[in-house]
């Protein structure tokens, strides 16, 4: 199982007493970038990346970390060098600015890196996850809204559309203007209740993309009488 990614800044980790997690995750980022560099070098034939190269990296490091490292590597890259959709996907992983970010950039030929990115993006698309294009905006009030969790906030084994949709319930972070950041929400996939930060969500899901299964779960959560007939399952989800 891939190590858990710590997606917040060193400063925030220090403030929250999680500096050890940040250091461990940063070291894993460095190893991941080095591993991808070596994989690209060893899986290239006649200027072409062999199929399955990105899959090997994903199996070893998991989607959250590979996307995180790609996003950091491709900061400032242009759509002329990389597939625009794949580049946009990589950049949906938010990378806190750190002086040490340069330590986990993938040092590889840009053309081969573009092929690796395309392979990783194709693997991601097969998961059917929600993205920024499914959201109405992150500047709305989150209270009572269906929210889309950033994939890199989930453990790799939890990467599914079912684990991305959450009902925002309370917390200062529900307001776009409040100084607080906490958002208390319930997962529409399995009913787990978790405290997230506002920045962990991409935004509010556009109603046209709400799946039938999520609409049914949402109705249960908003109607306690109906919920007594079929209480939500607990467990199984961990904060990524």
């Amino acid at each position: 199982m891939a190590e858990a990614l710590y997606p917040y800044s060193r400063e925030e980790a220090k403030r929250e007493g999680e500096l050890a997690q940040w250091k461990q995750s940063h070291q894993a980022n460095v190893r991941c970038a080095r591993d991808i560099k070596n994989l690209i070098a060893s899986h290239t034939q006649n200027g072409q990346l062999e199929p399955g190269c990105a899959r090997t990296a994903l199996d070893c490091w998991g989607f959250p970390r590979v996307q995180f490292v790609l996003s950091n590597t491709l900061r400032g890259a242009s759509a002329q060098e990389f597939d625009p959709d794949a580049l946009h996907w990589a950049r949906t992983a938010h990378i806190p600015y750190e002086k040490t970010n340069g330590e986990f950039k993938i040092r590889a030929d840009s053309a081969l890196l573009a092929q690796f990115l395309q392979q990783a993006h194709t693997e991601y698309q097969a998961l059917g996850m929600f993205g920024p294009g499914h959201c109405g905006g992150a500047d709305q009030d989150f209270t009572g809204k269906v929210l889309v969790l950033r994939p890199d906030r989930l453990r790799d084994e939890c990467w599914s559309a079912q684990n991305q949709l959450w009902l925002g319930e309370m917390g200062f972070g529900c307001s776009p203007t409040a100084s607080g950041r906490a958002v208390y929400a319930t997962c529409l996939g399995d009913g787990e209740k978790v405290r997230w930060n506002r920045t962990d969500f991409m935004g509010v899901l556009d109603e046209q993309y709400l799946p039938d299964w999520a609409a049914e779960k949402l109705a249960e959560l908003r109607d306690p009488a109906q919920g007594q007939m079929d209480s939500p399952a607990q467990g199984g989800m961990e904060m990524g």
Side-chain angles (χ1 to χ4, degrees):
M1 184 183 298
E3 296 180 63
L5 172 72
Y6 189 85
Y8 308 113
S9 68
R10 186 182 189 281
E11 180 181 350
E12 186 167 356
K14 186 176 181 180
R15 184 172 60 247
E16 298 296 323
E18 299 171 343
L19 195 55
Q21 291 98 308
W22 179 89
K23 289 180 178 179
Q24 183 177 9
S25 187
H26 177 75
Q27 291 168 359
N29 291 339
V30 174
R31 296 196 303 273
C32 177
R34 186 185 307 124
D35 188 40
I36 292 175
K37 171 190 173 182
N38 293 335
L39 280 170
I40 290 175
S42 62
H43 288 73
T44 297
Q45 293 289 336
N46 300 319
Q48 293 297 312
L49 196 64
E50 296 175 355
C53 181
R55 182 71 261 174
T56 300
L58 291 167
D59 288 342
C60 179
W61 296 102
F63 270 101
R65 192 173 309 282
V66 170
Q67 184 188 21
F68 197 80
V69 170
L70 281 170
S71 180
N72 182 61
T73 301
L74 298 170
R75 188 191 302 268
S78 71
Q80 294 179 339
E81 297 179 274
F82 299 89
D83 177 81
D85 291 338
L87 184 60
H88 179 72
W89 163 71
R91 286 175 170 169
T92 58
H94 173 67
I95 312 297
Y97 174 76
E98 308 280 359
K99 293 181 179 180
T100 54
N101 281 358
E103 296 176 6
F104 62 98
K105 284 189 174 183
I106 304 167
R107 312 297 179 181
D109 176 80
S110 60
L112 293 174
L113 184 58
Q115 293 176 48
F116 180 91
L117 172 64
Q118 185 64 61
Q119 286 187 14
H121 183 232
T122 298
E123 295 282 355
Y124 170 78
Q125 287 178 309
L127 298 176
M129 303 282 279
F130 292 101
H134 299 105
C135 302
D139 57 347
Q140 303 179 44
D141 191 293
F142 285 177
T143 308
K145 304 289 180 58
V146 176
L147 311 176
V148 180
L149 191 69
R150 295 180 181 278
D152 61 352
R153 279 12 182 195
L154 294 168
R155 293 187 181 277
D156 191 59
E157 63 270 21
C158 295
W159 270 44
S160 70
Q162 286 79 5
N163 291 331
Q164 275 190 285
L165 299 187
W166 294 72
L167 174 62
E169 297 182 315
M170 64 180 68
F172 288 114
C174 285
S175 170
T177 58
S179 58
R181 56 180 183 162
V183 175
Y184 296 90
T186 298
C187 180
L188 297 185
D190 64 5
E192 175 118 10
K193 295 181 180 294
V194 173
R195 177 231 186 258
W196 297 100
N197 293 337
R198 183 179 178 88
T199 54
D200 292 329
F201 296 99
M202 288 188 281
V204 175
L205 182 71
D206 191 312
E207 290 185 2
Q208 66 177 311
Y209 299 116
L210 184 68
D212 291 341
W213 65 263
E216 292 176 5
K217 190 65 179 181
L218 189 61
E220 289 181 16
L221 292 173
R222 289 174 170 170
D223 185 349
Q226 183 176 352
Q228 292 175 3
M229 301 296 293
D230 184 16
S231 59
Q234 297 294 314
M237 170 73 72
E238 294 186 46
M239 183 174 176

